[in-house]
Amino acid sequence: MTSPACPLCQETAKLTDLNSAMPRRYLSCGHCHLAFMHPDDYLSAEDEKAYYATHKNSIEDEGYVGFLNILLEPLLNIIEPKKALNALDYGCGPGPTLSVLLEQKGIQCDNYDPFFFPEQATPPYDVITATECFEHFHQPEKELEKLVSWLTPNGVLALMTSRWSSTEKFMHWHYNRDPTHVIFMHEETIHFIEEKFGLTCVYRDEKRVVIFQKTNLINKN
């Protein structure tokens, strides 16, 4: 099994094995604090798409809508409600829902998903959401560079992804049971993302929602 680099910061030396009850290898990065699955244990693209296709999320599912509101409510408190905004729901899955909720609030929203809605997005965007999407990024550094480049000046990037906190909790954490979940943000990862990608965290909850605003040029160092 080859030794990987951290997929977010490309660190190769400060990597530590993470124990998990799952039959997959995980590591944590001592530089950006990302936890990640060893790439040798990724599902194939076909198996990954088949797994996503089992998701039955939709606008008719009240529980799912309630879950999305965990992100939507603070997002609406941050963006300018009277300004005409152009949004993108990135990684919307087979049943786009957040875009519908945003459009109900008067915000035009495109859908993008590499498996189900691969049509070319049309940036720039004032708002980009990625709900339960970040954890699926095989190349998070490139994905974040792309998303930030798609934002307008002072644009907002809203992420929903559960954060890992300790090696003890990671061992039996429900979030790494999903074989398509390959990277896991830590509280300290938020600070790294701010500095690396020219973003400022303007909201975070205790578990899964982080909202960034584009403020600076991307730091390539």
Side-chain angles (χ1 to χ4, degrees):
M1 193 176 275
T2 57
S3 298
C6 172
L8 179 59
C9 70
Q10 308 309 316
E11 175 67 43
T12 57
K14 299 179 181 179
L15 302 181
T16 304
D17 288 338
L18 273 177
N19 291 323
S20 168
M22 297 296 100
R24 297 180 285 272
R25 184 184 177 195
Y26 297 90
L27 302 97
S28 64
C29 177
H31 181 56
C32 70
H33 300 275
L34 190 80
F36 60 97
M37 183 193 296
H38 196 293
D40 289 351
D41 291 333
Y42 287 176
L43 293 179
S44 68
E46 288 183 358
D47 288 344
E48 187 178 1
K49 181 178 181 180
Y51 193 93
Y52 296 147
T54 66
H55 296 175
K56 303 300 181 183
N57 301 325
S58 72
I59 193 66
E60 287 79 26
D61 186 332
E62 292 183 2
Y64 183 55
V65 170
F67 180 67
L68 292 180
N69 277 326
I70 297 172
L71 177 139
L72 185 59
E73 290 179 4
L75 176 61
L76 292 175
N77 288 332
I78 290 169
I79 60 180
E80 298 179 46
K82 295 182 181 180
K83 181 181 177 183
L85 297 174
N86 187 31
L88 172 70
D89 186 19
Y90 191 82
C92 61
T97 302
L98 188 57
S99 59
V100 178
L101 297 175
L102 284 168
E103 289 183 348
Q104 288 174 352
K105 300 295 183 179
I107 300 170
Q108 189 279 327
C109 186
D110 294 340
N111 290 302
Y112 173 81
D113 189 281
F115 291 112
F116 303 101
F117 293 89
E119 293 80 7
Q120 184 67 38
T122 56
Y125 293 100
D126 304 299
V127 179
I128 298 177
T129 61
T131 58
E132 294 299 301
C133 177
F134 180 87
E135 64 275 10
H136 301 286
F137 289 166
H138 290 189
Q139 296 179 306
E141 181 182 27
K142 291 183 179 180
E143 295 280 7
L144 286 172
E145 285 179 350
K146 176 174 66 177
L147 292 176
V148 171
S149 74
W150 284 1
L151 285 173
T152 57
N154 299 313
V156 172
L157 174 63
L159 306 179
M160 177 187 280
T161 184
S162 291
R163 301 193 289 271
W164 79 285
S165 58
S166 69
T167 56
E168 294 78 15
K169 292 182 179 180
F170 193 88
M171 176 70 182
H172 296 287
W173 192 27
H174 73 93
Y175 214 56
N176 65 41
R177 296 175 191 169
D178 187 324
T180 66
H181 290 182
V182 299
I183 63 168
F184 309 91
M185 186 183 295
H186 187 277
E187 194 73 19
E188 293 298 322
T189 310
I190 296 172
H191 303 306
F192 174 84
I193 290 174
E194 286 182 296
E195 294 179 4
K196 172 69 175 177
F197 299 100
L199 300 169
T200 297
C201 178
V202 292
Y203 174 87
R204 76 182 74 177
D205 66 6
E206 294 181 357
K207 294 182 178 181
R208 58 174 62 89
V209 175
V210 186
I211 301 177
F212 297 100
Q213 187 169 30
K214 184 176 180 178
T215 53
N216 303 304
L217 294 175
I218 293 176
N219 177 12
K220 292 291 186 180
N221 298 322

